[in-house]
Amino acid sequence: MTDYLDWQTDMGDPELAATYDDFSFWSAQFGTLLVENLSLCRNIRGLDIGCGTGFPLLEMARRHGASSHFVGVDGWRHGLRRANRKRRGQGVVNADVVLANAERLPFAPNTFDLILSNLGINNFDDPAATL
């Protein structure tokens, strides 16, 4: 049996991003709750903190439509590369990814109307500062 509390992931492994998209049942439930409980609006500027390989960033960009724009931030370079490949492959033109530390975001105040995170804030060095 795997001891999940002591399990360590090598985020520097470029192959991890390819397997990361295979969500576990546990994490999929949180993504479903997020998608089901957000109101869809036009002209939304959204930020996904800890976007990893692109969920829910790309899903939110698609659901809110072309008049909206979403930006995903993460410090995981391999994850962002995967998110960018998916974004291009899926034709999602209203989303971008930015390599950034969520504790010190490179955006002006009031840039976003909606800020979301699906199991991402806990992955930053200082979750309280991220919030």
Side-chain angles (χ1 to χ4, degrees):
M1 175 178 210
T2 302
D3 187 344
Y4 291 101
L5 297 177
D6 293 326
W7 182 56
Q8 297 292 314
T9 303
D10 179 7
M11 299 306 277
D13 179 357
E15 293 186 22
L16 177 63
T19 62
Y20 192 78
D21 283 330
D22 296 331
F23 289 114
S24 69
F25 176 71
W26 181 82
S27 63
Q29 294 178 72
F30 293 100
T32 300
L33 282 172
L34 181 65
V35 170
E36 289 176 349
N37 288 287
L38 282 177
S39 298
L40 299 180
C41 305
R42 296 189 194 306
N43 301 311
I44 292 290
R45 295 168 302 163
L47 174 66
D48 181 3
I49 296 176
C51 69
T53 61
F55 180 81
L57 170 69
L58 301 175
E59 189 65 31
M60 290 294 106
R62 277 193 297 272
R63 287 177 182 243
H64 281 87
S67 67
S68 295
H69 188 83
F70 281 76
V71 176
V73 296
D74 206 299
W76 183 27
R77 187 177 311 275
H78 299 300
L80 292 179
R81 284 185 188 134
R82 174 101 174 153
N84 246 337
R85 281 193 301 271
K86 288 170 31 179
R87 182 185 60 78
R88 287 189 305 269
Q90 296 170 14
V92 179
V93 297
N94 61 331
D96 291 302
V97 297
V98 174
L99 181 66
N101 185 326
E103 295 138 346
R104 291 175 300 284
L105 292 171
F107 307 108
N110 302 314
T111 298
F112 299 101
D113 306 306
L114 173 67
I115 299 173
L116 55 100
S117 182
N118 184 51
L119 303 173
I121 292 175
N122 58 302
N123 293 315
F124 288 96
D125 291 336
D126 188 349
T130 300
L131 287 173

